Amino acid sequence: MSTKTNIKTLHSVIAIAREEGKLKAIELLRQSGAINVLWTKSSEDGASNWKAFAAKCGLSAEPMAHRSPDSHRAVVVGFNSAGVSFYRITVPAVGEEETASIVKFQAETRLPLPAEQMEMAWRADQMRNGQVGFIVAAARKKPLEDYVENVRDFVPTKILLDCEGVTQAWKAFFSGNEKLAVVVSIAGQNTQVCLVENGRLCNAMILDIGMEDLTAEDETEQLQTSERFIQDMFSVLELFGYSNQSELPIFMLSDGNSSHMNLVSSLNSAGLDAQIALPDIKELRTPSEVGIEDIYEYRVAIGLGMMAFETSENELNIFEHIYKPTLKKEKEHWVYSPKIAGGIAAVMLVLFIAVYCVVGIASPITIEKHLKASASDSDLNSLMQRQQLIKSVAQQRPDVLELLGQINASGENGIKLENFHFKKGQPITITGEAPGNEQLYKFEKNLQDRKNISSVKMTPSRDAKTKKIKFTITFHYKNFTK
């Protein structure tokens, strides 16, 4: 496991997921290349007290302050991704820091709320024609903070998105190996639809139709609900960016339920390519009382647990800035002892006063004599020339991150940056998209008013299809572009 989780060799994982007000947990053990299911537990319907359920899973026996950092057991929990939005962004292939700024800038233009009220996470997708694709997940900060308070007591190692757990379960136990697929996971009152590309989650949507609606006693009502489900599926696939839905395979996770079979048949009749995905547990060792139905029921928790076994740090960690797991209080270094620190501070104060008096009283001539006494004239001149060279080089190095920050701060809501070109001796060129003339001209004026930016020139054009305004802006930055 990553050293960030303070786990050296991970043998077992307790994974907990919350589904429709009910908590479900499973403990997985990895042994001799196989995954063993040690136990499964679930709370009563409508019961979602995290602390009490954690105690039921045996987690309260390891208080936070005493849990060993060398423990071979991890605890992961899944966050309901119903309130998470996904975006696809393409940026120029530049340095890591510059890329982060551009991704953040583009993502913030799409957020429904101010950036300070949101949390974001992203990961690289594919590179095409010098452009890098990114998948961005965004959610309101307040629900994330509330969730952390619910689970903080038993110190989970990771907090993951439950839709990533669904994706991982499909790959590991439902024979999911297609490069492009839509994975459908139906619960009692809702349905999770996940777009998977090259084995990784790219988008997810929640439909407010579940198995309870699709199996209503009234046949007319059941038929109407089924038709609405099909229409919702078409809408979701279109939102995912696939207009030719018939070529996009759909896999419905199932335990063999006849209702799942009927629904898949209806999707195929409507022109979609749908099929049932049953659990394949050849590599999964389970107790005699755990069967395929249980594996299906605990599919989200199983997927989350499998993610914990992986060493990849490429999850969409939307909790990165909100939650930091602390398993054990680190041994306090002697320097941080208040008494010793106070003593060191006193000694440093005395030294500071002594040095200050010497430097403050000594004249420039006296200082020069001391320098000459400790080094030859040639050494001293060489040192001064070297320092001057370092200063000159630093002055000639452009601060691209600062520049991107100024561009970011100049953009009005709706401005989308698509390309950024910076080569010494040439004007900087940025291209992008604006929702209207007002925002675009405000963007141009804000850039012109920025310190160190000059000669801003804009060339707008209207996209006939989207009706949005495409723009190209050139400008000079300090003296680097002249």
Side-chain angles (χ1 to χ4, degrees), residues 108-311:
E108 287 180 352
T109 64
R110 306 185 184 190
L111 298 180
L113 295 172
E116 59 271 14
Q117 298 181 29
M118 304 288 290
E119 284 291 328
M120 292 186 295
W122 57 77
R123 65 179 170 212
D125 187 17
Q126 297 181 22
M127 179 181 289
R128 295 175 183 171
N129 302 321
Q131 300 281 313
V132 183
F134 281 86
I135 304 301
V136 180
R140 289 178 56 230
K141 184 180 294 185
K142 184 62 167 61
L144 301 182
E145 292 173 339
D146 293 342
Y147 187 83
V148 168
E149 290 306 311
N150 285 330
V151 303
R152 189 186 297 277
D153 288 339
F154 55 92
V155 197
T157 311
K158 290 183 178 181
I159 303 178
L160 305 171
L161 296 178
D162 63 355
C163 52
E164 290 220 85
V166 169
T167 301
Q168 185 65 33
W170 172 70
K171 290 193 304 178
F173 299 112
F174 290 82
S175 304
N177 54 14
E178 278 72 14
K179 290 186 176 181
L180 175 64
V182 170
V183 179
V184 178
S185 178
I186 301 182
Q189 299 174 0
N190 57 56
T191 298
Q192 195 165 56
V193 185
C194 304
L195 176 65
V196 183
E197 294 183 8
N198 298 314
R200 295 198 299 180
L201 176 77
C202 292
N203 208 333
M205 295 287 291
I206 303 293
L207 305 181
D208 62 352
I209 300 177
M211 190 51 61
E212 294 177 5
D213 305 299
L214 294 165
T215 56
E217 294 183 2
D218 188 297
E219 292 185 5
T220 303
E221 182 182 347
Q222 184 177 334
L223 180 61
Q224 291 175 347
T225 304
S226 179
E227 291 176 351
R228 185 158 62 92
F229 180 86
I230 293 171
Q231 291 302 318
D232 285 351
M233 284 296 301
F234 273 104
S235 299
V236 168
L237 297 181
E238 189 173 347
L239 285 172
F240 285 168
Y242 292 91
S243 55
N244 190 359
Q245 295 96 340
S246 61
E247 298 180 359
L248 190 61
I250 300 172
F251 294 89
M252 183 173 295
L253 305 186
S254 174
D255 56 357
N257 190 308
S258 60
S259 298
H260 294 162
M261 304 287 188
N262 295 335
L263 190 57
V264 164
S265 178
S266 298
L267 290 171
N268 286 325
S269 299
L272 297 176
D273 179 14
Q275 55 188 288
I276 290 291
L278 295 171
D280 180 5
I281 55 176
K282 293 177 182 178
E283 300 299 326
L284 187 65
R285 300 173 185 170
T286 65
S288 58
E289 65 272 13
V290 177
I292 289 180
E293 294 81 5
D294 299 292
I295 300 304
Y296 172 75
E297 181 181 353
Y298 290 89
R299 60 194 180 279
V300 178
I302 289 177
L304 296 172
M306 294 299 295
M307 290 180 67
F309 281 128
E310 295 184 352
T311 58

Side-chain angles (χ1 to χ4, degrees), residues 65 73 80 112 151 155-156 217 282 297 332 393 409 411 434 441 453 462 465 475 482:
R73 184 170 73 175
N80 190 329
V151 303
V155 197
E217 294 183 2
K282 293 177 182 178
E297 181 181 353
E332 193 173 46
V393 170
Y441 287 112
I453 292 179
R462 185 174 293 277
K465 187 175 181 180
F475 59 87
K482 300 180 179 179

